[in-house]
Coordinates of all heavy atoms in Angstrom, one line a residue:
M798 N -1.7 -29.7 -31.4 CA -2.4 -29.2 -30.3 C -1.5 -28.5 -29.3 O -1.8 -27.4 -28.8 CB -3.2 -30.3 -29.6 CG -3.9 -29.9 -28.4 SD -5.4 -28.9 -28.8 CE -6.1 -28.7 -27.2
T799 N -0.4 -29.2 -28.9 CA 0.5 -28.6 -27.9 C 1.3 -27.3 -28.5 O 1.7 -26.5 -27.7 CB 1.6 -29.6 -27.4 OG1 2.3 -30.1 -28.6 CG2 0.9 -30.7 -26.7
R800 N 1.4 -27.3 -29.8 CA 2.0 -26.1 -30.3 C 1.2 -24.8 -30.1 O 1.7 -23.7 -30.0 CB 2.3 -26.2 -31.9 CG 3.5 -27.0 -32.2 CD 3.9 -26.9 -33.6 NE 3.2 -27.8 -34.4 CZ 3.1 -27.8 -35.7 NH1 3.7 -26.8 -36.4 NH2 2.4 -28.7 -36.3
H801 N -0.1 -24.9 -30.1 CA -1.0 -23.8 -29.8 C -1.1 -23.5 -28.3 O -1.4 -22.4 -27.9 CB -2.4 -24.1 -30.4 CG -2.3 -24.3 -31.9 ND1 -2.0 -23.2 -32.8 CD2 -2.5 -25.4 -32.7 CE1 -2.0 -23.7 -34.0 NE2 -2.4 -25.0 -34.0
L802 N -0.9 -24.5 -27.5 CA -1.1 -24.4 -26.1 C 0.1 -23.7 -25.5 O -0.1 -22.9 -24.5 CB -1.3 -25.8 -25.4 CG -1.6 -25.8 -24.0 CD1 -2.9 -25.0 -23.7 CD2 -1.7 -27.2 -23.5
M803 N 1.3 -24.0 -25.9 CA 2.5 -23.4 -25.3 C 2.6 -21.9 -25.4 O 2.9 -21.2 -24.4 CB 3.8 -24.0 -25.9 CG 3.9 -25.5 -25.6 SD 3.8 -25.8 -23.8 CE 5.4 -25.3 -23.3
P804 N 2.3 -21.2 -26.6 CA 2.3 -19.8 -26.6 C 1.2 -19.2 -25.7 O 1.5 -18.1 -25.1 CB 2.0 -19.4 -28.1 CG 2.4 -20.6 -28.8 CD 2.1 -21.8 -27.9
A805 N 0.1 -19.8 -25.5 CA -0.9 -19.3 -24.6 C -0.5 -19.4 -23.2 O -0.7 -18.4 -22.4 CB -2.2 -20.1 -24.8
L806 N 0.2 -20.4 -22.8 CA 0.7 -20.6 -21.4 C 1.8 -19.6 -21.2 O 1.9 -19.0 -20.1 CB 1.2 -22.0 -21.2 CG 0.1 -23.0 -21.1 CD1 0.7 -24.4 -20.9 CD2 -0.8 -22.7 -19.9
G807 N 2.6 -19.3 -22.2 CA 3.7 -18.3 -22.1 C 3.1 -16.9 -21.9 O 3.6 -16.2 -21.1
F808 N 2.1 -16.6 -22.6 CA 1.5 -15.3 -22.5 C 0.9 -15.1 -21.1 O 1.0 -14.1 -20.5 CB 0.4 -15.2 -23.6 CG -0.3 -13.8 -23.6 CD1 0.4 -12.7 -24.0 CD2 -1.6 -13.7 -23.2 CE1 -0.2 -11.5 -24.0 CE2 -2.2 -12.5 -23.2 CZ -1.5 -11.4 -23.6
I809 N 0.2 -16.2 -20.6 CA -0.4 -16.1 -19.3 C 0.7 -15.9 -18.2 O 0.6 -15.1 -17.3 CB -1.2 -17.3 -19.0 CG1 -2.5 -17.3 -19.9 CG2 -1.6 -17.4 -17.5 CD1 -3.3 -18.6 -19.8
A810 N 1.8 -16.6 -18.4 CA 3.0 -16.5 -17.5 C 3.5 -15.0 -17.5 O 3.9 -14.5 -16.4 CB 4.1 -17.5 -17.8
L811 N 3.6 -14.4 -18.7 CA 4.1 -13.0 -18.7 C 3.1 -12.1 -18.0 O 3.5 -11.1 -17.4 CB 4.2 -12.6 -20.2 CG 5.4 -13.1 -20.9 CD1 5.3 -12.7 -22.4 CD2 6.7 -12.6 -20.3
L812 N 1.8 -12.3 -18.2 CA 0.9 -11.4 -17.5 C 0.9 -11.6 -16.0 O 0.8 -10.6 -15.3 CB -0.6 -11.7 -18.0 CG -0.9 -11.3 -19.4 CD1 -2.3 -11.8 -19.8 CD2 -0.7 -9.8 -19.6
T813 N 1.0 -12.8 -15.5 CA 1.0 -13.0 -14.0 C 2.4 -12.7 -13.4 O 2.4 -12.4 -12.2 CB 0.6 -14.4 -13.7 OG1 1.5 -15.3 -14.3 CG2 -0.9 -14.6 -14.1
G814 N 3.4 -12.8 -14.1 CA 4.8 -12.6 -13.6 C 5.0 -11.1 -13.1 O 5.6 -10.9 -12.1
S815 N 4.5 -10.2 -13.8 CA 4.7 -8.8 -13.4 C 3.9 -8.4 -12.2 O 4.2 -7.4 -11.5 CB 4.4 -7.9 -14.6 OG 3.0 -7.9 -14.9
S816 N 2.8 -9.1 -12.0 CA 1.9 -8.7 -10.8 C 2.6 -9.1 -9.5 O 2.2 -8.6 -8.5 CB 0.6 -9.4 -10.9 OG 0.7 -10.8 -10.8
V817 N 3.5 -10.0 -9.5 CA 4.2 -10.4 -8.3 C 5.3 -9.3 -7.9 O 5.7 -9.3 -6.7 CB 4.8 -11.8 -8.4 CG1 5.6 -12.2 -7.2 CG2 3.7 -12.8 -8.8
A818 N 5.7 -8.5 -8.8 CA 6.8 -7.6 -8.6 C 6.5 -6.5 -7.6 O 7.3 -6.0 -6.9 CB 7.3 -7.0 -9.9
A819 N 5.2 -6.1 -7.5 CA 4.8 -5.0 -6.6 C 3.8 -5.5 -5.7 O 2.9 -6.3 -6.0 CB 4.3 -3.8 -7.4
P820 N 3.8 -5.1 -4.4 CA 2.8 -5.5 -3.5 C 1.4 -4.9 -3.8 O 1.4 -3.8 -4.5 CB 3.3 -5.0 -2.1 CG 4.2 -3.9 -2.5 CD 4.8 -4.2 -3.8
F821 N 0.4 -5.6 -3.4 CA -0.9 -5.1 -3.7 C -1.8 -5.3 -2.5 O -1.9 -6.4 -1.9 CB -1.6 -5.8 -4.9 CG -3.0 -5.4 -5.2 CD1 -3.2 -4.2 -5.9 CD2 -4.0 -6.1 -4.8 CE1 -4.4 -3.7 -6.2 CE2 -5.3 -5.7 -5.1 CZ -5.5 -4.5 -5.8
C822 N -2.4 -4.3 -2.0 CA -3.3 -4.4 -0.8 C -4.7 -4.2 -1.3 O -4.9 -3.4 -2.2 CB -3.0 -3.3 0.2 SG -1.3 -3.4 0.8
D823 N -5.6 -5.0 -0.8 CA -7.0 -4.9 -1.3 C -7.8 -3.8 -0.8 O -8.9 -3.5 -1.2 CB -7.7 -6.3 -1.1 CG -7.8 -6.6 0.4 OD1 -7.4 -5.8 1.2 OD2 -8.4 -7.7 0.7
G824 N -7.3 -3.1 0.2 CA -8.0 -1.9 0.7 C -9.1 -2.3 1.6 O -10.0 -1.5 1.9
A825 N -9.2 -3.6 2.1 CA -10.3 -4.0 2.9 C -10.4 -3.2 4.2 O -11.5 -3.1 4.7 CB -10.1 -5.5 3.2
F826 N -9.3 -2.7 4.7 CA -9.4 -2.0 6.0 C -9.9 -0.5 5.8 O -10.2 0.1 6.7 CB -8.0 -1.9 6.6 CG -7.5 -3.3 7.0 CD1 -6.6 -4.0 6.3 CD2 -8.1 -3.9 8.1 CE1 -6.2 -5.3 6.6 CE2 -7.7 -5.2 8.5 CZ -6.7 -5.9 7.8
D827 N -9.9 -0.1 4.5 CA -10.4 1.3 4.2 C -11.9 1.2 4.1 O -12.6 2.3 4.2 CB -9.8 1.8 2.9 CG -8.4 2.3 3.2 OD1 -8.0 2.5 4.3 OD2 -7.6 2.4 2.2
S828 N -12.5 0.1 3.8 CA -13.9 0.1 3.4 C -14.8 -0.4 4.6 O -16.0 -0.7 4.4 CB -14.1 -0.9 2.3 OG -13.7 -2.2 2.6
G829 N -14.3 -0.3 5.8 CA -15.1 -0.7 6.9 C -15.9 0.4 7.6 O -16.1 0.5 8.8
R830 N -16.4 1.3 6.8 CA -17.2 2.5 7.3 C -18.7 2.2 7.2 O -19.1 1.6 6.2 CB -16.8 3.7 6.4 CG -15.4 4.1 6.6 CD -15.1 5.4 5.9 NE -13.7 5.7 5.8 CZ -13.0 5.5 4.7 NH1 -13.5 5.1 3.6 NH2 -11.7 5.8 4.8
V831 N -19.4 2.7 8.1 CA -20.8 2.6 8.1 C -21.3 4.1 8.1 O -20.9 4.9 8.9 CB -21.4 1.9 9.4 CG1 -22.9 1.9 9.4 CG2 -20.8 0.5 9.4
T832 N -22.2 4.4 7.2 CA -22.8 5.7 7.1 C -24.3 5.7 7.3 O -24.9 4.7 7.0 CB -22.5 6.3 5.7 OG1 -23.1 5.5 4.7 CG2 -21.0 6.4 5.4
F833 N -24.7 6.8 7.9 CA -26.2 6.9 8.1 C -26.7 8.2 7.4 O -27.7 8.7 7.8 CB -26.4 7.1 9.6 CG -26.0 5.8 10.4 CD1 -24.9 5.8 11.1 CD2 -26.9 4.7 10.4 CE1 -24.5 4.6 11.8 CE2 -26.5 3.6 11.0 CZ -25.3 3.5 11.8
G834 N -26.1 8.6 6.3 CA -26.6 9.7 5.6 C -26.1 11.1 6.0 O -26.5 12.1 5.5
F835 N -25.3 11.1 7.1 CA -24.7 12.4 7.5 C -23.3 12.2 8.0 O -22.9 11.0 8.2 CB -25.5 13.0 8.7 CG -25.5 12.2 9.9 CD1 -24.6 12.5 10.9 CD2 -26.4 11.2 10.1 CE1 -24.5 11.7 12.1 CE2 -26.4 10.4 11.3 CZ -25.4 10.7 12.3
S836 N -22.5 13.2 8.1 CA -21.2 13.1 8.5 C -20.8 14.2 9.5 O -21.4 15.3 9.4 CB -20.2 13.1 7.3 OG -20.3 14.3 6.7
I837 N -19.8 14.0 10.3 CA -19.3 15.0 11.2 C -17.9 15.4 10.7 O -17.1 14.5 10.7 CB -19.3 14.5 12.6 CG1 -20.7 14.1 13.1 CG2 -18.7 15.5 13.6 CD1 -20.8 13.5 14.4
G838 N -17.7 16.6 10.4 CA -16.4 17.1 9.9 C -16.3 16.7 8.4 O -17.1 16.1 7.8
G839 N -15.3 17.3 7.8 CA -15.1 17.1 6.4 C -14.2 15.8 6.1 O -13.7 15.2 7.0
K840 N -14.1 15.5 4.9 CA -13.2 14.4 4.5 C -11.8 14.8 4.6 O -11.4 16.0 4.5 CB -13.5 14.0 3.0 CG -14.8 13.3 2.8 CD -14.8 12.8 1.3 CE -16.0 11.9 1.2 NZ -15.9 11.2 -0.1
Y841 N -10.9 13.8 4.9 CA -9.5 14.1 4.9 C -9.0 14.3 3.6 O -9.4 13.7 2.6 CB -8.8 12.8 5.5 CG -9.0 12.6 7.0 CD1 -9.5 11.4 7.4 CD2 -8.6 13.5 7.9 CE1 -9.7 11.2 8.8 CE2 -8.8 13.3 9.2 CZ -9.3 12.1 9.7 OH -9.5 11.9 11.0
T842 N -8.1 15.3 3.5 CA -7.3 15.5 2.2 C -6.3 14.4 2.1 O -6.0 13.7 3.1 CB -6.7 16.9 2.2 OG1 -5.7 16.9 3.2 CG2 -7.7 18.0 2.4
E843 N -5.7 14.3 0.9 CA -4.7 13.3 0.7 C -3.5 13.6 1.6 O -2.9 12.7 2.2 CB -4.2 13.3 -0.7 CG -3.2 12.2 -1.1 CD -2.9 12.2 -2.5 OE1 -3.6 12.8 -3.3 OE2 -1.9 11.6 -2.9
Q844 N -3.1 14.8 1.8 CA -2.0 15.2 2.6 C -2.3 14.9 4.1 O -1.4 14.4 4.8 CB -1.7 16.7 2.5 CG -0.4 17.2 3.2 CD 0.8 16.4 2.8 OE1 1.1 16.2 1.6 NE2 1.6 16.0 3.7
E845 N -3.5 15.2 4.6 CA -3.8 14.9 6.0 C -3.8 13.4 6.2 O -3.3 12.9 7.3 CB -5.2 15.4 6.3 CG -5.3 16.9 6.4 CD -6.7 17.4 6.5 OE1 -7.6 16.7 6.0 OE2 -6.9 18.5 7.0
R846 N -4.3 12.6 5.3 CA -4.2 11.1 5.4 C -2.8 10.6 5.5 O -2.4 9.8 6.3 CB -5.0 10.5 4.3 CG -5.1 9.0 4.5 CD -5.9 8.4 3.4 NE -5.3 8.6 2.1 CZ -5.8 8.3 0.9 NH1 -7.0 7.8 0.9 NH2 -5.1 8.5 -0.2
N847 N -1.9 11.2 4.6 CA -0.5 10.8 4.6 C 0.2 11.2 5.9 O 1.0 10.4 6.4 CB 0.2 11.4 3.4 CG -0.2 10.9 2.0 OD1 -0.9 9.8 2.0 ND2 0.0 11.6 1.0
D848 N -0.1 12.4 6.4 CA 0.5 12.8 7.7 C 0.0 11.9 8.8 O 0.8 11.5 9.7 CB 0.1 14.3 8.0 CG 0.7 15.3 7.0 OD1 1.7 14.9 6.4 OD2 0.2 16.4 7.0
F849 N -1.2 11.5 8.8 CA -1.7 10.6 9.8 C -1.0 9.2 9.7 O -0.6 8.7 10.8 CB -3.2 10.4 9.7 CG -3.8 9.5 10.8 CD1 -4.0 10.0 12.1 CD2 -4.1 8.2 10.5 CE1 -4.5 9.1 13.0 CE2 -4.6 7.3 11.4 CZ -4.8 7.8 12.7
D850 N -0.9 8.7 8.5 CA -0.2 7.4 8.3 C 1.2 7.5 8.8 O 1.7 6.6 9.4 CB -0.3 7.0 6.9 CG -1.6 6.5 6.4 OD1 -2.5 6.2 7.3 OD2 -1.9 6.6 5.2
M851 N 1.9 8.6 8.5 CA 3.3 8.8 8.9 C 3.4 8.8 10.4 O 4.3 8.2 11.0 CB 4.0 10.0 8.3 CG 5.4 10.1 8.6 SD 6.4 11.1 7.5 CE 5.7 12.6 7.6
M852 N 2.5 9.5 11.1 CA 2.4 9.6 12.5 C 2.2 8.2 13.2 O 2.9 7.9 14.1 CB 1.3 10.6 13.0 CG 1.2 10.7 14.5 SD -0.2 11.7 14.9 CE -1.6 10.6 14.5
E853 N 1.4 7.4 12.6 CA 1.1 6.1 13.1 C 2.3 5.2 12.9 O 2.7 4.4 13.8 CB -0.1 5.5 12.5 CG -1.4 6.0 13.0 CD -1.7 5.8 14.4 OE1 -1.6 4.6 14.9 OE2 -1.9 6.7 15.1
L854 N 3.0 5.3 11.8 CA 4.2 4.5 11.5 C 5.3 4.9 12.5 O 6.0 4.0 13.0 CB 4.6 4.6 10.1 CG 3.7 3.9 9.1 CD1 4.1 4.2 7.7 CD2 3.8 2.4 9.3
R855 N 5.5 6.1 12.7 CA 6.5 6.6 13.6 C 6.2 6.2 15.0 O 7.1 5.8 15.8 CB 6.7 8.1 13.5 CG 7.4 8.6 12.3 CD 7.6 10.0 12.3 NE 8.4 10.5 11.1 CZ 8.6 11.7 10.8 NH1 8.0 12.7 11.5 NH2 9.3 12.0 9.7
R856 N 4.9 6.2 15.4 CA 4.5 5.7 16.7 C 4.9 4.3 16.9 O 5.2 3.8 18.0 CB 3.0 6.0 16.9 CG 2.5 5.7 18.3 CD 1.0 5.9 18.4 NE 0.3 5.0 17.6 CZ 0.0 3.8 17.9 NH1 0.4 3.2 19.0 NH2 -0.7 3.0 17.1
M857 N 4.9 3.5 15.8 CA 5.2 2.1 15.9 C 6.7 1.8 15.7 O 7.1 0.7 15.7 CB 4.5 1.3 14.8 CG 3.0 1.4 14.9 SD 2.1 0.6 13.6 CE 2.7 -1.0 13.5
G858 N 7.5 2.9 15.6 CA 9.0 2.7 15.6 C 9.5 2.7 14.2 O 10.7 2.4 14.0
V859 N 8.7 3.0 13.1 CA 9.2 3.1 11.8 C 9.7 4.5 11.5 O 9.0 5.4 11.6 CB 8.1 2.6 10.8 CG1 8.6 2.8 9.3 CG2 7.6 1.3 11.1
D860 N 11.0 4.6 11.1 CA 11.6 5.9 10.8 C 11.2 6.4 9.4 O 12.1 6.4 8.5 CB 13.1 5.9 11.1 CG 13.7 7.3 11.1 OD1 13.0 8.3 11.2 OD2 15.0 7.3 11.1
A861 N 10.0 6.7 9.2 CA 9.5 7.1 7.8 C 9.8 8.6 7.6 O 9.6 9.4 8.5 CB 8.0 6.8 7.7
T862 N 10.2 8.9 6.4 CA 10.4 10.3 6.0 C 9.3 10.8 5.1 O 9.0 12.0 5.1 CB 11.8 10.5 5.3 OG1 11.8 9.7 4.1 CG2 12.9 10.1 6.2
R863 N 8.7 9.9 4.3 CA 7.6 10.3 3.4 C 6.7 9.1 3.4 O 7.1 8.0 3.4 CB 8.0 10.6 2.0 CG 8.9 11.8 1.8 CD 9.2 12.1 0.4 NE 9.6 10.9 -0.4 CZ 10.8 10.6 -0.7 NH1 11.8 11.2 -0.3 NH2 11.1 9.6 -1.5
V864 N 5.4 9.4 3.2 CA 4.4 8.3 3.2 C 3.3 8.7 2.2 O 2.9 9.9 2.1 CB 3.7 8.1 4.6 CG1 2.6 7.2 4.5 CG2 4.7 7.7 5.6
E865 N 2.8 7.7 1.4 CA 1.7 8.0 0.4 C 1.0 6.7 0.2 O 1.5 5.6 0.5 CB 2.3 8.5 -0.8 CG 3.2 7.6 -1.6 CD 3.9 8.3 -2.8 OE1 3.7 9.5 -3.0 OE2 4.6 7.6 -3.5
R866 N -0.2 6.8 -0.3 CA -1.0 5.6 -0.6 C -0.6 5.2 -2.1 O -0.6 6.0 -2.9 CB -2.5 5.8 -0.5 CG -3.0 6.2 0.8 CD -3.0 4.9 1.7 NE -3.3 5.2 3.1 CZ -4.5 4.9 3.7 NH1 -5.4 4.3 3.0 NH2 -4.7 5.2 4.9
W867 N -0.3 3.9 -2.3 CA 0.1 3.5 -3.6 C -0.4 2.0 -3.8 O -0.1 1.2 -3.0 CB 1.6 3.6 -3.7 CG 2.1 3.2 -5.1 CD1 2.1 4.0 -6.2 CD2 2.8 2.0 -5.4 NE1 2.7 3.4 -7.2 CE2 3.1 2.1 -6.8 CE3 3.0 0.8 -4.8 CZ2 3.7 1.1 -7.5 CZ3 3.6 -0.2 -5.5 CH2 4.0 -0.1 -6.8
N868 N -1.1 1.8 -4.8 CA -1.6 0.4 -5.2 C -2.4 -0.2 -4.1 O -2.3 -1.4 -3.8 CB -0.4 -0.4 -5.6 CG -0.7 -1.6 -6.4 OD1 -1.8 -1.6 -7.1 ND2 0.1 -2.6 -6.5
G869 N -3.1 0.6 -3.3 CA -3.9 0.1 -2.2 C -3.1 -0.1 -0.9 O -3.7 -0.4 0.1
C870 N -1.8 0.1 -1.0 CA -0.9 0.0 0.2 C -0.5 1.4 0.7 O -0.7 2.3 0.0 CB 0.3 -0.9 -0.1 SG 0.0 -2.5 -0.5
I871 N 0.1 1.4 1.8 CA 0.9 2.6 2.3 C 2.3 2.4 1.9 O 3.0 1.4 2.3 CB 0.7 2.7 3.8 CG1 -0.7 3.0 4.2 CG2 1.6 3.9 4.3 CD1 -1.0 2.9 5.7
R872 N 2.8 3.3 1.1 CA 4.2 3.2 0.7 C 5.0 4.2 1.5 O 4.7 5.4 1.5 CB 4.4 3.5 -0.8 CG 5.8 3.5 -1.2 CD 6.0 3.6 -2.7 NE 5.6 4.8 -3.3 CZ 5.7 5.2 -4.5 NH1 6.3 4.4 -5.4 NH2 5.3 6.4 -5.0
A873 N 6.0 3.7 2.3 CA 6.7 4.6 3.2 C 8.2 4.5 2.7 O 8.7 3.5 2.4 CB 6.6 4.1 4.6
F874 N 8.8 5.7 2.8 CA 10.3 5.8 2.5 C 10.9 5.9 3.9 O 10.7 6.8 4.7 CB 10.6 7.0 1.7 CG 10.0 6.9 0.3 CD1 8.7 7.4 0.0 CD2 10.7 6.3 -0.7 CE1 8.2 7.3 -1.2 CE2 10.2 6.2 -2.0 CZ 8.9 6.7 -2.3
V875 N 11.7 4.8 4.2 CA 12.2 4.6 5.6 C 13.7 4.8 5.6 O 14.4 4.2 4.7 CB 11.8 3.2 6.1 CG1 12.3 3.0 7.5 CG2 10.3 3.0 6.1
R876 N 14.2 5.5 6.6 CA 15.7 5.7 6.7 C 16.3 4.4 7.1 O 15.8 3.7 8.0 CB 15.9 6.7 7.8 CG 15.7 8.1 7.4 CD 16.2 9.1 8.4 NE 15.7 10.4 8.1 CZ 14.9 11.1 8.9 NH1 14.5 10.6 10.0 NH2 14.5 12.3 8.5
K877 N 17.4 4.0 6.5 CA 18.2 2.9 6.8 C 19.2 3.3 7.9 O 19.7 4.4 7.9 CB 18.8 2.3 5.6 CG 17.8 1.8 4.6 CD 18.4 1.0 3.4 CE 19.7 1.3 3.0 NZ 20.1 0.6 1.7
P878 N 19.6 2.4 8.8 CA 20.6 2.7 9.8 C 21.9 3.2 9.3 O 22.5 4.1 9.8 CB 20.8 1.4 10.5 CG 19.6 0.6 10.3 CD 19.1 1.0 8.9
G879 N 22.4 2.7 8.2 CA 23.7 3.1 7.6 C 23.6 4.3 6.7 O 24.6 4.8 6.2
G880 N 22.4 4.9 6.6 CA 22.2 6.0 5.7 C 21.4 5.6 4.5 O 21.3 4.5 4.1
G881 N 20.8 6.6 3.9 CA 19.9 6.3 2.7 C 18.5 5.9 3.1 O 18.1 6.0 4.3
E882 N 17.7 5.6 2.1 CA 16.3 5.3 2.4 C 15.9 4.0 1.6 O 16.6 3.7 0.6 CB 15.3 6.4 1.9 CG 15.4 7.6 2.7 CD 14.4 8.7 2.2 OE1 14.1 8.7 1.0 OE2 14.0 9.5 3.0
E883 N 14.9 3.4 2.0 CA 14.3 2.2 1.2 C 12.8 2.3 1.3 O 12.3 2.9 2.3 CB 14.8 0.9 1.8 CG 14.3 0.5 3.2 CD 14.8 -0.8 3.6 OE1 15.6 -1.4 2.9 OE2 14.4 -1.2 4.7
M884 N 12.2 1.8 0.3 CA 10.7 1.7 0.3 C 10.2 0.5 1.1 O 10.8 -0.6 0.9 CB 10.1 1.6 -1.2 CG 10.0 2.9 -1.8 SD 9.1 2.8 -3.4 CE 10.1 1.8 -4.3
Q885 N 9.2 0.7 1.9 CA 8.6 -0.3 2.6 C 7.1 -0.2 2.4 O 6.6 1.0 2.3 CB 8.9 -0.4 4.1 CG 10.4 -0.7 4.3 CD 10.8 -0.7 5.8 OE1 9.9 -0.6 6.6 NE2 12.0 -0.9 6.1
F886 N 6.3 -1.3 2.4 CA 4.9 -1.2 2.2 C 4.2 -1.7 3.4 O 4.6 -2.7 4.0 CB 4.5 -2.0 0.9 CG 5.1 -1.5 -0.3 CD1 6.4 -1.9 -0.8 CD2 4.5 -0.5 -1.0 CE1 6.9 -1.4 -1.9 CE2 5.0 0.0 -2.2 CZ 6.2 -0.4 -2.6
F887 N 3.0 -1.1 3.7 CA 2.3 -1.5 4.9 C 0.8 -1.5 4.5 O 0.3 -0.9 3.6 CB 2.5 -0.4 6.0 CG 3.9 -0.3 6.5 CD1 4.8 0.6 5.9 CD2 4.3 -1.1 7.5 CE1 6.1 0.7 6.3 CE2 5.7 -1.0 7.9 CZ 6.5 -0.1 7.3
E888 N 0.0 -2.4 5.3 CA -1.4 -2.5 5.1 C -2.1 -1.4 5.7 O -1.9 -1.0 6.9 CB -1.8 -3.8 5.7 CG -3.3 -4.2 5.5 CD -3.5 -4.8 4.1 OE1 -2.7 -5.5 3.6 OE2 -4.6 -4.4 3.5
P889 N -3.0 -0.7 5.0 CA -3.8 0.4 5.6 C -4.6 -0.1 6.8 O -5.2 -1.2 6.7 CB -4.6 0.9 4.4 CG -4.0 0.5 3.2 CD -3.3 -0.8 3.6
G890 N -4.7 0.7 7.8 CA -5.6 0.4 8.9 C -4.8 -0.4 10.0 O -4.9 -0.1 11.2
T891 N -4.1 -1.4 9.6 CA -3.3 -2.2 10.6 C -1.9 -1.9 10.7 O -1.2 -2.1 11.7 CB -3.4 -3.7 10.3 OG1 -2.8 -4.0 9.0 CG2 -4.9 -4.2 10.3
Y892 N -1.4 -1.3 9.6 CA 0.0 -0.9 9.5 C 1.0 -2.1 9.6 O 2.1 -1.9 10.0 CB 0.4 0.2 10.5 CG -0.4 1.5 10.3 CD1 -1.5 1.7 11.0 CD2 -0.2 2.3 9.2 CE1 -2.3 2.8 10.8 CE2 -0.9 3.4 9.0 CZ -2.0 3.7 9.8 OH -2.8 4.8 9.6
R893 N 0.5 -3.3 9.2 CA 1.4 -4.4 9.1 C 2.2 -4.4 7.9 O 1.7 -4.0 6.8 CB 0.5 -5.7 9.1 CG -0.2 -6.1 10.4 CD -0.9 -7.4 10.3 NE -1.8 -7.3 9.2 CZ -2.9 -8.0 9.1 NH1 -3.3 -8.8 10.1 NH2 -3.7 -7.8 8.1
P894 N 3.5 -4.8 7.9 CA 4.3 -4.8 6.7 C 3.8 -5.8 5.7 O 3.2 -6.8 6.0 CB 5.7 -5.3 7.2 CG 5.6 -5.1 8.7 CD 4.2 -5.2 9.1
V895 N 3.9 -5.4 4.4 CA 3.5 -6.2 3.3 C 4.8 -6.6 2.6 O 5.6 -5.7 2.2 CB 2.6 -5.4 2.3 CG1 2.2 -6.2 1.1 CG2 1.3 -5.0 3.1
Y896 N 4.9 -7.8 2.3 CA 6.2 -8.3 1.6 C 5.9 -8.8 0.3 O 5.0 -9.2 -0.2 CB 6.8 -9.4 2.5 CG 7.2 -9.0 3.8 CD1 6.5 -9.3 4.9 CD2 8.3 -8.2 4.0 CE1 6.8 -8.9 6.2 CE2 8.7 -7.8 5.3 CZ 7.9 -8.2 6.4 OH 8.3 -7.7 7.6

């Protein structure tokens, strides 16, 4: 019995191990919209949304050079003090860091 159980547990561990490697935001802050069948103005383009996110991050003191939505999170490329860049992830809507 245990010979059949061990490969199954190993397979499950492989599947769940890779999901921890990248942050995942559930997008809960993006879905808080209420609609009444009409809208004012058009939808934001992807570039406009990225520009807005970068503006908000910079307002909060994050030295972001590029920003995009990735895996439900905001992925920002941030300048490091000694030079170079690193990726940092933030929660959409609140701009809290995701670790």
Side-chain angles (χ1 to χ4, degrees):
M798 173 76 175
T799 58
R800 279 196 274 167
H801 298 292
L802 186 61
M803 293 309 282
L806 289 176
F808 182 69
I809 291 171
L811 285 175
L812 289 176
T813 58
S815 64
S816 66
V817 179
F821 180 77
C822 300
D823 62 3
F826 295 102
D827 286 341
S828 61
R830 297 187 188 102
V831 177
T832 60
F833 296 102
F835 66 93
S836 64
I837 298 173
K840 286 189 169 189
Y841 288 121
T842 65
E843 184 177 346
Q844 184 61 43
E845 289 170 334
R846 186 177 62 185
N847 292 342
D848 290 342
F849 180 80
D850 289 337
M851 186 159 58
M852 179 185 69
E853 286 296 308
L854 288 172
R855 285 183 175 171
R856 188 180 63 79
M857 294 174 59
V859 177
D860 192 11
T862 58
R863 295 186 315 262
V864 173
E865 62 188 4
R866 298 287 174 109
W867 184 79
N868 204 18
C870 295
I871 297 170
R872 178 170 67 173
F874 295 89
V875 180
R876 286 189 191 113
K877 296 188 331 186
E882 291 180 335
E883 68 179 3
M884 275 191 295
Q885 295 180 6
F886 297 90
F887 299 89
E888 185 77 40
T891 63
Y892 300 99
R893 288 185 303 213
V895 177
Y896 299 104

